[in-house]
Amino acid sequence: MSGERVGIVLVSHSAAVATAVAELARGLAGGGDPAPLAVAGGTPDGGLGTSSELIAAAARSADAGAGVAVLVDLGSAVLTVKALLAEGDGLPERTLLVDAPFVEGAVAALVTAGTGADLEAVAAAASEAYAYRKV
């Protein structure tokens, strides 16, 4: 598959968590030509937290022309992404903060984006992961 696709950004307070969730999503999405996926975990100095600079860089690297779906782990990650969206100049055009569980949503978003689905379909698939029952 080639052409414009939705990119996925995973934002976590921990670089290790963001990287691990990305690896899991890639593994479960299967081979082939996966959608662009980037992580923004922790702070630039390697600590716990969020960084608007790391988030913006990850979004730019995942941008393949069809929008960028951003999934976050916890509260201040949400606030940081919302602040970037409000500023309007730090993120690629058509960047969307997706209300989804971090792990399950990341898998659903990556699988759906890999099919060539649009941004709204990718966001919907990730959000629907809230309904996945475990018992």
Side-chain angles (χ1 to χ4, degrees), residues 6-13 17-18 21 25 36-41 50 55 58-59 68-74 77-78 81 85 95-110 113 119 122-130:
V6 173
I8 311 296
V9 174
L10 304 179
V11 179
S12 174
H13 285 71
V17 169
V21 172
L37 175 63
V39 299
T50 58
I55 294 167
V68 177
V70 180
L71 286 80
V72 299
D73 64 355
L74 300 169
V78 174
V81 173
L85 288 168
T95 297
L96 179 64
L97 174 60
V98 179
D99 183 15
F102 194 60
V103 176
E104 295 92 333
V107 174
L110 188 62
L119 181 59
V122 170
S127 293
E128 287 170 9
Y130 274 128

Side-chain angles (χ1 to χ4, degrees), residues 74-92:
L74 300 169
S76 66
V78 174
L79 297 175
T80 304
V81 173
K82 282 184 174 182
L84 283 167
L85 288 168
E87 291 170 10
D89 60 356
L91 297 174

Side-chain angles (χ1 to χ4, degrees), residues 54 73 94 101:
L54 292 178
D73 64 355
R94 293 193 25 91

Side-chain angles (χ1 to χ4, degrees), residues 13-15 41-50:
H13 285 71
S14 163
T43 60
D45 65 359
L48 294 176
T50 58

